[in-house]
Amino acid sequence: MKEQKSSQVSVEYMLIMGFVVIMTVPLLVLYYTYTQGASDEIITSQVNQISRKIVDAAESVYFLGIPSQTTIKVYMPKQIAGASIDKRELVLNVSTKGGISEIVMVSSVNLTSDLNPPLPIKQGLYSINLNATAEGVRISYK
């Protein structure tokens, strides 16, 4: 009789632990999915702020005229997959959970760069130099 009662307690304990595991796994998956999505939103917002800061500084420098120049410091996150400049468009590609997203910022002045890529794509703090020229604004970085 004692052995049967001990077996019953063991089975009940296993059932309770199984129920706890079954309830915990979906909660962990939900938590991971939510935090990953929030992380992507934060990175996208940060890259959007960076591109807006660069375009605003470029427009300010251009309208002040030649030989105006300014330097801004930006922190580039590791999720930057690419960068390009096409006349008045500054394009930053961001690697997210859903794939590559393009952040495009349109400027009212022509943007140029002699560097390839025109903006840093590796993680870190960079000094971005903006120089007014007759054709627009030349962008370089260190």
Side-chain angles (χ1 to χ4, degrees):
M1 192 68 145
K2 190 170 186 167
E3 189 175 309
Q4 184 180 10
K5 194 169 197 166
S6 175
S7 300
Q8 182 181 356
V9 170
S10 296
V11 169
E12 288 175 357
Y13 179 74
M14 286 175 33
L15 286 172
I16 290 171
M17 291 308 294
F19 181 73
V20 168
V21 168
I22 288 173
M23 295 304 291
T24 305
V25 169
L27 290 174
L28 290 174
V29 169
L30 183 65
Y31 171 77
Y32 176 75
T33 304
Y34 177 75
T35 57
Q36 192 68 20
S39 174
D40 285 348
E41 287 180 31
I42 291 168
I43 295 299
T44 303
S45 176
Q46 183 180 11
V47 172
N48 198 23
Q49 272 186 320
I50 291 167
S51 60
R52 171 53 48 205
K53 186 176 183 180
I54 293 169
V55 166
D56 286 347
E59 290 172 349
S60 177
V61 164
Y62 179 76
F63 291 122
L64 286 172
I66 298 172
S68 296
Q69 66 178 14
T70 190
T71 301
I72 58 174
K73 291 192 182 277
V74 296
Y75 176 79
M76 300 300 268
K78 68 179 178 180
Q79 290 84 354
I80 300 286
S84 63
I85 293 176
D86 184 24
K87 296 180 184 172
R88 294 176 184 243
E89 290 183 351
L90 173 65
V91 181
L92 293 172
N93 299 324
V94 182
S95 180
T96 63
K97 184 180 176 188
I100 302 291
S101 296
E102 278 191 349
I103 306 293
V104 179
M105 199 62 59
V106 179
S107 173
S108 60
V109 300
N110 283 330
L111 305 172
T112 60
S113 179
D114 298 331
L115 303 173
N116 189 16
L119 290 171
I121 58 173
K122 291 186 178 176
Q123 181 179 10
L125 184 64
Y126 292 90
S127 295
I128 298 180
N129 302 314
L130 302 134
N131 298 313
T133 65
E135 296 82 31
V137 174
R138 185 173 52 249
I139 300 173
S140 60
Y141 60 91
K142 298 178 198 171

